[in-house]
Amino acid sequence: MISRRVTVLGSTGSVGTSTLDLMDRAEAAGTGAFEVEALVAGSNVALLAEQARRWRPRLAVTADPSKLAALRDALAGTGIETAAGEGAVVEAAIRPADWVMAAIVGAAGLRSTWAVARTGAVLALANKESLVCCGPALIETVRASGGQLIPVDSEHSAIFQVFPAAAPEQVSRLILTASGGPFRNRTLAQMAAVTPEQAVAHPNWSMGAKISVDSATMANKGLETIEAAYLFDMPAERIEVVVHPESIVHSLVDYIDGSTLAQMGAPDMRIPIACALAWPQRLDWPAPRLDLATLGRLTFEAPDETRFPALALARQALQAGGAAPAVFNAANEVAARAFLDRRLGFLNIAAVVAETLDRAMRAGVCADLTDACDAALAVDAEARRIAQTIVGRMADAA
């Protein structure tokens, strides 16, 4: 029986809802018992209230202060404390919990993730931007507090499960797998005309809109390359990406003796969440099972960085070091949002990132970060300003 006191940051997003669904299924199976300390969401207070009525957390928080009255009304008579705003999100993050899911999407999740890192709790990290913006400092903060960081992205979870943490020198390289997204076989000319609706229709995974766009551009794999470098202390030249359309092999670790260990599973986010929730034990829940005979075959191919330049841009940012990865992330968030808002063409997402990186490096924005979260957020703000200017110019010219 796995027993945890849990907080979920980003409870109404795809990872947050998957986390609560997994907990529900484990409790129904009699293999898990969970006490919820806090649930935090963005502006979807209807779903947050529904989750709160089911799980009875001590605290329910909406990041949007204008939604607080609606949340209070929805939870009237339940005895559940309610709050709103950025300060309340951070307060929820430091409430007493054994295990905290950090799943707020984007740089918006940075402060709350850092707050968790200082508590000594297990930090189940689905907010990749926290690692990308200031990964080494975040990891050191978790260690200094006596906590543990467990990655939740399926690729990093896969590596985490087969990586020899006590003997990293035995590893030759890390191999991240990518589905290739919905446009894997499209030409550049065809991709120039794709719509937001097409970009968010991922062939294998059910994800939020922004993450789906990142998959379509392969910016997500660039971000994951940066994350892997920090999580496993691996230089960029020893991290590779391979396209694996079936999304069954989630990543691989190549050893110096020629052995390669792969972690496999159905493309279901509840599986890596279950790993993080129970680690170092395993959670027995009604998980989807692989049927290899039915699958028939697994295929792999090299990524095409001409059609998907975000991969090369992320590697460039990682090798530049300092705050360059934070600039990459901020510019990508701005460009992806502009695409979803129909202000920017699909192929111009990477173009905005490339120009932002170039301008930020020349302006000295990418200098080394201090260990402070505030420093990363300052870089993030300046990179967004640059990217917004570029988006505006491109939108006016279209």
Side-chain angles (χ1 to χ4, degrees):
M1 169 78 73
I2 302 299
S3 179
R4 299 280 188 271
R5 177 188 280 192
V6 170
T7 286
V8 181
L9 307 177
S11 67
T12 59
S14 60
V15 173
T17 54
S18 293
T19 300
L20 295 176
D21 180 71
L22 169 70
M23 290 162 50
D24 202 32
R25 291 171 184 265
E27 286 200 342
T31 57
F34 305 103
E35 179 183 353
V36 178
E37 179 65 29
L39 295 177
V40 175
S43 58
N44 189 349
V45 296
L47 180 54
L48 174 59
E50 179 184 327
Q51 293 172 338
R53 286 191 295 269
R54 159 64 182 90
W55 288 101
R56 297 287 169 167
R58 291 175 174 81
L59 174 66
V61 174
T62 170
D64 185 348
S66 71
K67 303 288 186 180
L68 179 57
L71 180 62
R72 283 177 173 162
D73 288 345
L75 294 178
T78 64
I80 298 170
E81 182 184 350
T82 58
E86 183 181 11
V89 173
V90 173
E91 172 62 28
I94 62 175
R95 300 269 294 225
D98 306 316
W99 187 92
V100 181
M101 169 59 77
I104 297 174
V105 174
L110 190 55
R111 286 194 189 280
S112 56
T113 301
W114 268 82
V116 177
R118 296 187 178 101
T119 66
V122 174
L123 172 58
L125 189 60
N127 173 268
K128 65 182 60 191
E129 291 79 10
S130 298
L131 272 177
V132 170
C133 290
C134 40
L138 178 67
I139 292 167
E140 180 53 37
T141 299
V142 172
R143 287 174 179 160
S145 73
Q148 183 178 19
L149 190 158
I150 303 180
V152 173
D153 273 356
S154 62
E155 296 82 1
H156 302 110
S157 174
I159 294 171
F160 175 80
Q161 293 180 61
V162 296
F163 189 87
E169 71 280 359
Q170 296 178 359
V171 174
S172 170
R173 59 178 176 155
L174 306 178
I175 306 169
L176 298 170
T177 57
S179 70
F183 309 134
R184 179 173 60 92
N185 294 318
R186 295 201 187 187
T187 65
L188 280 170
Q190 290 171 327
M191 286 194 288
V194 302
T195 65
E197 291 78 12
Q198 292 169 321
V200 301
H202 194 281
N204 299 334
W205 297 92
S206 175
M207 305 184 293
K210 192 267 180 183
I211 299 173
S212 296
V213 172
D214 284 352
S215 177
T217 62
M218 293 193 72
N220 71 321
K221 215 50 55 177
L223 292 166
E224 288 167 11
T225 297
I226 297 169
E227 288 180 271
Y230 294 153
L231 280 168
F232 304 105
D233 195 21
M234 192 67 60
E237 62 271 17
R238 289 168 58 192
I239 303 173
E240 299 180 12
V241 172
V242 63
V243 174
H244 170 50
E246 295 84 3
S247 297
I248 298 300
V249 175
H250 297 298
S251 279
L252 310 93
V253 174
D254 200 30
Y255 284 77
I256 56 176
D257 63 358
S259 299
T260 301
L261 299 186
Q263 188 270 342
M264 303 170 68
D268 187 320
M269 275 306 300
R270 292 171 300 180
I271 295 175
I273 293 169
C275 174
L277 184 58
W279 192 265
Q281 302 177 61
R282 294 284 177 171
L283 180 64
D284 184 4
W285 68 285
R289 303 293 174 178
L290 283 182
D291 185 340
L292 294 176
T294 299
L295 283 169
R297 65 177 183 176
L298 303 175
T299 58
F300 303 89
E301 60 192 59
D304 183 344
E305 294 188 3
T306 300
R307 289 184 300 128
F308 300 99
L311 277 172
L313 290 170
R315 195 174 299 112
Q316 174 190 338
L318 176 59
Q319 291 171 333
V327 172
F328 174 92
N329 173 73
N332 179 65
E333 281 195 31
V334 169
R337 183 70 262 167
F339 168 70
L340 286 168
D341 291 342
R342 304 181 195 278
R343 298 179 58 224
L344 195 68
F346 182 77
L347 294 181
N348 279 339
I349 296 174
V352 168
V353 175
E355 186 174 343
T356 303
L357 270 171
D358 179 64
R359 288 174 58 174
M361 287 180 177
R362 286 190 282 109
V365 176
C366 296
D368 285 345
L369 288 173
T370 67
D371 284 357
C373 175
D374 286 343
L377 287 169
V379 169
D380 177 85
E382 178 60 15
R384 285 172 190 275
R385 186 194 65 77
I386 296 171
Q388 291 284 14
T389 300
I390 297 167
V391 167
R393 188 195 72 226
M394 290 184 175
D396 291 342

